Amino acid sequence: MLDLSFEAPKPKVIAGAKHDWELVIGMEVHAQIASKAKLFSGASTKFGAEPNSNVAFVDAAMPGMLPVINEFCVEQAVRTGLGLKAQINLVSAFDRKNYFYPDLPQGYQISQLYHPIVGEGEVIVDMEPGIARRVRIERIHIEQDAGKSIHDMDPAMSFVDLNRTGVALMEIVSRPDIRGPEEAAAYVVKLRQILRYLGTCDGNMQNGNLRADVNVSVCRPGQYEKYQETQDFSHLGTRCEIKNMNSMRFIQMAIDYEAKRQIGILEAGGSIDQETRLYDPDKNETRSMRSKEEAHDYRYFPCPDLMPLEIEQAWVDDIAANLPELPDEKKARFVKEFGLSEYDADVLTADTANAGYFEEVVAGCGDGKLAANWVINELFGRLKKEDHDIGESPVSPAQLAGIIALIKTGDISGKIAKDLFEIVYTEGGDPADIVDARGMKQVTDTGAIEAAVDEIIAANPAQVEKAQQNPKLAGWFVGQVMKATGGKANPAAVNQLVMAKLGL
C-alpha cells in the first residue's frame, strides 16, 4: 500500500456452545489466462462457441498429438507474479496429475506441482481505511482446464463439451492468512482487481473465468499465533475445501456455514475429516463431495512430453518494465497528488475504467477533489441507480470536466450545475453551449442581487425581527433570494448582502 499505513483487522471470533473459536482460511483461486489460444494448442478460447467447436487434436487427446507451450500464456503468468510482488522462477517444469473425469480426454491434467513458475508473493487486502490484511501468496502455477459435463439435457444421458479443455489457468495459492468470511471475499475482489489491471485475466466469474476453492478450518484463540511463530500446521484445525465458488456472497455464506458445522462436530467430541465439499446456495449448506486427496493419490510425475521451462531474466525484466500502475500505487498517488481521502481513492481505483475516467476529468478541469466529488457522488450514483457501468456513461469525461470548469469560473452555482448535469446526462451537448443557450449563467451583478435582497427584506418585516434576534434564521432570506432569482444568484454574494442588510 506504499505510504498508506495500515493495521491488521482482528480475527473473527465465533462463539460455540462451549468455547470461542477462530477461523483460518486459505484460498486457491483458478484464474483463466487472458489468451486467445489454449495453453498447449492453437484452439480458440472464445466463450459461448458451439459445443466442441474450439477443440484441437491435442485437446481431444488424439493418438500421437503432443502439447506445445503457448509462450503468451507463460508471459501472462510472469506478469501476474510480478504484479503480486512474487518471486519468478527462471526454471519451472510440468507434471502430470492423473485422475479420471469424463471431460478430461487425456486421463490426466498437465500442471506444475514440484516446480511452479511463480513463488512467494503477497496481496494487501483493504478492509476499510487504515485497516488491511497482508495475505501471503505461496505459489502460482499454470495448468490446463478440464471440459464440462452437462447432465440436464437428457434424462438418461450426460453430454460432454470439450471447449474449455486445455484452456490455460493460473492457480494462485495463498497461505492460511485470511481470518474471516468478509476478508475471504475481499481477498478475491482485490486479486481480481489486480488481475484486471494487469490484463492477465478478465475476472468474469459468471463465465467461470475466475473460481475459488476455499479451505476452511477452526481453532481455539491463541493457536493461530503459535502457528505463525512456528509455521507448524499442527496448531491449526483440520481443513475442508469448498470447491468452485464463483460468487463473493456465496463465499461468505459457505465459510460461515462450514465453520459452524466444524465447531458443532468438535464441541460434540468428534473430529473433522479432511475432505472436499460443495456449497448448495439454495439450502445454504455444504455437503461432502469426496475425501481430500493428497499429492500421492494423483500419482504425479514429470510430464514426459514437455521439457523443463527455462526463461531468461532479461525477458522477465522487460515484462516488469512494462507493467501498468497497479491499484495500490494508483490509490496512493491519488491521495498524494489530488488530496483525496483514502476512501474516495479506493472507490476511484476499484476498476481501471473508473480510474481512467476520473483522470481524464481531472485533466480537463484541473481540480482533483471537485472531480472526485462529482464522479463518485453524481455520476457513479446515477449509473448505479440505472445499473450501468462507466463504459455505458452518457456523460463523457470532457463533458463532466466542462461542468466542473463552469463551477470553478463562477459561471454556474452548485445547484445550477446539478441541473446542467441532468441535461447533459439525458440530452447530451456541450455544457458551456447549454448554459449560454438556456440562460443558466449565475447572476454575479451585485446590483441585481442587492435589489432582490432589498425586496425580500422589505416584504417580510416580522421575519427580519426574528432573524436579528436569532442570526441562524438569516438563512431563510438567502433561500428566498435564491428562489426569486431562479437559483442563478451567486450564493456567497447573497449571503454576504443578507447579513449586511440585516446588520448581523
Side-chain angles (χ1 to χ4, degrees):
M1 202 177 286
L2 296 182
D3 54 351
L4 295 179
S5 59
F6 65 90
E7 60 182 61
K10 302 294 183 184
K12 179 167 183 176
V13 177
I14 299 176
K18 298 179 180 178
H19 309 289
D20 284 345
W21 299 84
E22 291 182 357
L23 271 166
V24 180
I25 302 163
M27 306 281 280
E28 298 169 12
V29 174
H30 295 82
Q32 179 176 324
I33 294 175
S35 169
K36 293 181 179 179
K38 295 183 179 181
L39 183 56
F40 298 119
S41 81
S44 172
T45 60
K46 186 177 180 180
F47 181 79
E50 286 295 314
N52 298 306
S53 60
N54 293 344
V55 186
F57 288 133
V58 69
D59 304 322
M62 292 297 177
M65 296 296 103
L66 296 176
V68 178
I69 189 73
N70 181 336
E71 182 180 336
F72 181 71
C73 292
V74 176
E75 180 183 340
Q76 292 287 69
V78 170
R79 281 172 64 85
T80 300
L82 292 169
L84 299 182
K85 300 177 176 60
Q87 171 66 40
I88 306 301
N89 298 322
L90 299 183
V91 178
S92 60
F94 289 95
D95 307 289
R96 286 188 180 180
K97 179 182 181 182
N98 295 275
Y99 61 99
F100 174 76
Y101 276 158
D103 48 20
L104 190 66
Q106 294 162 315
Y108 58 82
Q109 178 190 41
I110 300 178
S111 184
Q112 293 184 310
L113 174 66
Y114 300 110
H115 304 287
I117 191 168
V118 178
E120 295 184 347
E122 68 175 27
V123 175
I124 305 300
V125 183
D126 309 295
M127 300 305 299
E128 57 183 90
I131 303 293
R133 175 76 70 191
R134 175 178 278 104
V135 177
R136 295 169 297 164
I137 299 299
E138 178 182 322
R139 55 187 278 144
I140 302 175
H141 60 261
I142 48 181
E143 62 186 20
Q144 57 183 167
D145 203 356
K148 181 180 181 182
S149 295
I150 303 166
H151 307 293
D152 58 358
M153 291 179 63
D154 189 281
M157 293 188 294
S158 291
F159 294 82
V160 174
D161 180 4
L162 298 182
N163 278 350
R164 286 195 68 92
T165 302
V167 165
L169 301 177
M170 294 178 288
E171 182 168 340
I172 305 168
V173 183
S174 83
R175 297 282 186 182
D177 292 347
I178 302 166
R179 307 303 311 280
E182 297 81 8
E183 285 185 26
Y187 167 78
V188 177
V189 168
K190 185 61 176 286
L191 185 59
R192 182 175 64 174
Q193 179 192 33
I194 294 171
L195 296 175
R196 284 175 165 173
Y197 266 71
L198 291 167
T200 57
C201 174
D202 67 16
N204 190 321
M205 300 183 82
Q206 290 74 26
N207 292 352
N209 296 355
L210 192 77
R211 313 187 293 271
D213 297 342
V214 187
N215 290 286
V216 180
S217 67
V218 295
C219 66
R220 296 293 302 283
Q223 292 299 108
Y224 186 81
E225 286 69 26
K226 292 180 180 178
Y227 154 72
Q228 288 285 47
E229 292 171 8
T230 64
Q231 295 300 299
D232 183 352
F233 284 94
S234 67
H235 293 296
L236 303 180
T238 301
R239 72 184 188 276
C240 291
E241 181 185 48
I242 309 171
K243 290 288 288 185
N244 290 330
M245 304 297 296
N246 66 349
S247 157
M248 307 306 177
R249 185 166 67 92
F250 290 163
I251 285 173
Q252 296 182 68
M253 293 169 66
I255 291 171
D256 190 59
Y257 173 86
E258 179 60 20
K260 291 175 181 176
R261 184 189 74 86
Q262 293 183 21
I263 290 169
I265 291 172
L266 293 170
E267 292 199 338
S271 60
I272 304 301
D273 295 325
Q274 185 173 331
E275 62 181 350
T276 299
R277 300 179 69 83
L278 291 175
Y279 176 67
D280 184 336
D282 295 326
K283 296 181 180 179
N284 187 29
E285 64 181 26
T286 63
R287 64 174 185 271
S288 181
M289 178 182 176
R290 59 176 182 262
S291 61
K292 177 64 178 178
E293 295 90 343
E294 300 296 343
H296 62 262
D297 294 319
Y298 291 114
R299 305 189 325 278
Y300 277 98
F301 61 84
C303 182
D305 294 334
L306 290 161
M307 296 289 287
L309 179 61
E310 298 184 15
I311 58 180
E312 296 180 352
Q313 185 62 51
W315 187 60
V316 175
D317 293 341
D318 185 59
I319 296 171
N322 291 284
L323 288 181
E325 185 180 38
L326 294 174
D328 287 346
E329 287 82 358
K330 191 178 290 289
K331 176 179 172 180
R333 179 170 64 83
F334 280 9
V335 170
K336 182 178 180 180
E337 188 174 327
F338 303 126
L340 305 185
S341 68
E342 188 176 340
Y343 174 82
D344 284 352
D346 198 46
V347 172
L348 292 168
T349 58
D351 183 84
T352 52
N354 290 352
Y357 185 101
F358 166 72
E359 292 209 76
E360 284 190 55
V361 174
V362 176
C365 72
D367 191 319
K369 282 191 173 182
L370 200 53
N373 181 56
W374 274 85
V375 170
I376 293 171
N377 297 322
E378 299 301 327
L379 182 64
F380 287 179
R382 181 65 175 270
L383 291 174
K384 183 178 181 180
K385 183 179 179 182
E386 299 182 359
D387 198 25
H388 294 319
D389 60 34
I390 195 68
E392 301 169 294
S393 172
V395 180
S396 71
Q399 287 173 314
L400 187 54
I403 294 172
I404 296 170
L406 290 168
I407 298 172
K408 290 186 67 181
T409 58
D411 287 340
I412 59 174
S413 64
K415 181 182 182 303
I416 295 173
K418 291 190 176 184
D419 294 337
L420 177 60
F421 176 83
E422 179 65 25
I423 294 169
V424 173
Y425 192 96
T426 55
E427 301 176 24
D430 178 79
D433 291 344
I434 293 169
V435 167
D436 287 339
R438 305 195 184 192
M440 298 174 71
K441 271 194 175 180
Q442 184 171 241
V443 177
T444 55
D445 178 4
T446 54
I449 297 173
E450 186 174 7
V453 171
D454 288 340
E455 184 177 338
I456 299 297
I457 287 176
N460 297 277
Q463 196 69 23
V464 170
E465 187 176 341
K466 291 179 182 179
Q468 288 172 337
Q469 293 174 359
N470 182 2
K472 290 182 179 180
L473 298 179
W476 181 85
F477 288 95
V478 175
Q480 291 299 306
V481 173
M482 294 301 296
K483 184 178 179 181
T485 58
K488 295 179 183 178
N490 184 304
V494 173
N495 188 70
Q496 187 177 5
L497 282 167
V498 165
M499 299 300 280
K501 295 285 185 180
L502 294 176
L504 300 177

